[in-house]
Amino acid sequence: MVTTRLSKLGSQLDSNYGLQMKFMDEETSWNMFFKIVFGKESCPLNLEKIGKKIVKSCRGLPLSIVVIGGLLEKMEPTKEYWKSIRRSISSLANLENDKHCLKILKLSYNHLPVHLKPCFMYTGTYEEDHVIRVSRLIKLWVAEGFLKPISCKSLETIAKEYLTELVDRNLILVHESGSTGNIKYCKIHDLLRDLCLREAQKERFYDVVEQHSPQGTCSQRRVVIMRSTPEEKVVDALKSRPYARTCISDCTRYERLPNPKLFELVNLRFLDVKSDMYLHLPSSINLLWSLQTLIVHYPVEEVIHAPVEIWNMPQLRHVHLWSGEIHLPDPRVITLSSWRIYKPSKE
C-alpha cells in the first residue's frame, strides 16, 4: 500500500485501485475536534460557536484538526484565548492546503512550553516515516542536556514525561507500546517533521548536511547526516564543522569510524555511527577527548576490540553496542575512568 498527497503520483501507480481521500465535512470535523478537546465532557456553550469556526478554518484537514485540538485541550478554555487562535488561523485563508496546514502546525509549536521545543525539534533528525526507538531518543535528549532536573526523579523519567506530553498534544504518534504500557516506538507525521526542520534551520538548532544553508556551519554544534547524503559530502561536512559537539548519522555505506576527519572533532560529546567493516575501534578514538556517549552499530554479532587508549578518555560515560560484544584490553597502569558499557536488549 502506498499513500501520497500527490494526486499525479497516485494515478501513475495504478488508477484502477487508487482511492481518492476526501476532506472531512463540518460535522465529522467537529466531532473529531470535540472528542480531542473535551473527551466525554460537554462543550461549554460560550465556546461552541467559536469552536466550530476554528474547526471550519481547518478546511477538513484531519492533521490540522488533531493538532489544534491537542493545543486547545492543554490550554485554559476561555473565549478570549480561543478567539486569538481563531484570528491566527483566519489570517491563513488564502494559502494552499499544505501551506495552510503547515502554518496551523506552527501555531501549535509556538504555544509549546519552552522545555518541550528542543525535544520536539530533535525528532526532525530522523528520516521521513522512520520508526523511532524511544529508548534511543531519550538517550539523545539526556546527552544534549534538554531536560530540566527535578528532585527525586531520574532524567530518564523526566524524558518519558516530556514524550507523553508531546503525544498528548498530538505532535508525536505512538507506534508501539510495551507490555507495561510504556511507549516503545513512536513516529512523527511528515508535515510535522518538515516543521521541525524549518524551525531548526531558523534557530540554527542543528545543521542537516545538504539541506540547510551553509552559512555559519563552522560554528554549528549539532550535525545531522541523512542516509541520502552523497558520499563526497560527508567528509566535507565533518571538515567544515570543527566545533560540532553532536554528530548523528544514518549512513551505512561510508560512515566508518576510522575516517580521520572524524577525529578532528575534538569538541564532540555524542557520536552515533554505523560501521559495516571494522571490528576494531581505532586507537585514535581517544582524540575525541570530550566524548561522553559513543553508540556503534554493527551488522553482525562479532567481538568488537577496543584499543587500550579508550581508558584515556576522561569524559566517556556510556558506550552502546547494538550488535556483538566488546573486548576491553587490560588497563594496566592507566587510571580507569568512571564510565559504563551497555549492550541493549533486542526487545
Side-chain angles (χ1 to χ4, degrees):
M1 182 175 68
V2 177
T3 59
T4 178
R5 298 194 308 273
L6 304 175
S7 57
K8 291 183 178 180
L9 176 59
S11 61
Q12 291 173 2
L13 291 174
D14 195 330
S15 58
N16 295 325
Y17 294 94
L19 177 62
Q20 183 73 35
M21 299 298 292
K22 297 180 179 179
F23 293 110
M24 299 172 66
D25 58 34
E26 290 188 25
E27 181 179 358
T28 306
S29 297
W30 170 250
N31 289 336
M32 174 185 280
F33 175 83
F34 180 89
K35 289 179 181 179
I36 293 172
V37 180
F38 301 107
K40 296 181 179 180
E41 298 180 3
S42 59
C43 175
L45 293 177
N46 66 322
L47 295 179
E48 184 172 346
K49 185 176 180 179
I50 186 66
K52 289 185 175 180
K53 289 182 178 179
I54 291 175
V55 171
K56 186 176 181 180
S57 297
C58 290
R59 300 182 182 178
L61 295 167
L63 182 61
S64 298
I65 297 170
V66 167
V67 172
I68 287 295
L71 167 63
L72 294 177
E73 189 271 333
K74 289 289 183 180
M75 300 301 177
E76 191 70 25
T78 64
K79 193 172 183 178
E80 290 72 22
Y81 181 79
W82 281 41
K83 281 184 176 180
S84 69
I85 296 298
R86 158 66 178 162
R87 286 193 296 269
S88 298
I89 299 178
S90 297
S91 65
L92 313 175
N94 296 323
L95 296 177
E96 297 177 1
N97 282 332
D98 270 8
K99 292 182 179 179
H100 181 269
C101 186
L102 194 59
K103 291 291 185 180
I104 290 180
L105 303 183
K106 179 67 163 54
L107 287 177
S108 188
Y109 171 79
N110 289 341
H111 286 84
L112 270 179
V114 174
H115 66 276
L116 291 180
K117 287 185 175 181
C119 295
F120 174 63
M121 270 197 294
Y122 217 78
T123 58
T125 64
Y126 290 89
E127 298 278 356
E128 189 172 307
D129 298 323
H130 186 83
V131 176
I132 303 169
R133 182 187 287 268
V134 169
S135 59
R136 179 182 184 276
L137 181 62
I138 286 176
K139 288 183 178 69
L140 285 167
W141 288 353
V142 171
E144 290 285 5
F146 294 156
L147 311 175
K148 183 179 180 180
I150 300 176
S151 59
C152 302
K153 285 187 179 181
S154 67
L155 291 178
E156 287 74 16
T157 298
I158 297 171
K160 291 177 182 178
E161 292 176 353
Y162 283 16
L163 179 64
T164 298
E165 191 165 353
L166 289 171
V167 169
D168 290 343
R169 291 172 177 271
N170 296 313
L171 295 175
I172 299 294
L173 304 174
V174 177
H175 181 74
E176 182 183 336
S177 297
S179 57
T180 60
N182 289 333
I183 304 172
K184 193 174 179 181
Y185 295 95
C186 63
K187 295 185 71 174
I188 181 172
H189 191 281
D190 54 355
L191 280 181
L192 285 167
R193 177 180 175 273
D194 288 346
L195 174 63
C196 290
L197 293 174
R198 288 169 183 257
E199 292 304 308
Q201 181 180 14
K202 179 181 176 182
E203 300 181 20
R204 296 184 64 188
F205 183 68
Y206 52 72
D207 178 38
V208 180
V209 178
E210 282 286 281
Q211 294 185 28
H212 288 177
S213 171
Q215 295 181 356
T217 55
C218 181
S219 60
Q220 186 55 251
R221 293 295 189 263
R222 301 183 184 95
V223 181
V224 180
I225 303 174
M226 295 296 185
R227 185 178 303 174
S228 57
T229 309
E231 182 172 351
E232 65 274 8
K233 298 295 182 181
V234 176
V235 174
D236 292 341
L238 298 177
K239 183 178 180 180
S240 61
R241 296 159 177 82
Y243 303 111
R245 296 187 308 186
T246 302
C247 179
I248 302 174
S249 170
D250 194 22
C251 307
T252 56
R253 294 170 298 158
Y254 45 78
E255 178 58 14
R256 296 167 185 151
L257 281 173
N259 189 325
K261 293 299 180 183
L262 186 62
F263 302 105
E264 295 179 6
L265 304 177
V266 295
N267 293 317
L268 204 63
R269 297 193 305 177
F270 187 101
L271 178 63
D272 184 353
V273 293
K274 295 185 179 181
S275 180
D276 58 1
M277 285 184 62
Y278 298 90
L279 300 180
H280 290 78
L281 297 180
S283 59
S284 49
I285 188 74
N286 71 325
L287 295 177
L288 302 177
W289 60 272
S290 297
L291 197 67
Q292 297 181 17
T293 299
L294 172 64
I295 300 177
V296 186
H297 304 255
Y298 285 91
V300 294
E301 293 194 7
E302 297 283 352
V303 176
I304 311 304
H305 297 271
V308 69
E309 286 82 2
I310 199 170
W311 299 113
N312 283 328
M313 302 177 70
Q315 302 297 324
L316 190 61
R317 299 177 61 238
H318 304 281
V319 176
H320 304 275
L321 297 178
W322 289 102
S323 183
E325 302 287 346
I326 187 169
H327 175 266
L328 292 172
D330 186 348
R332 300 172 186 173
V333 295
I334 299 176
T335 302
L336 185 64
S337 300
S338 59
W339 54 282
R340 294 170 285 176
I341 300 173
Y342 293 94
K343 184 180 184 299
S345 61
K346 298 179 180 179
E347 58 180 10

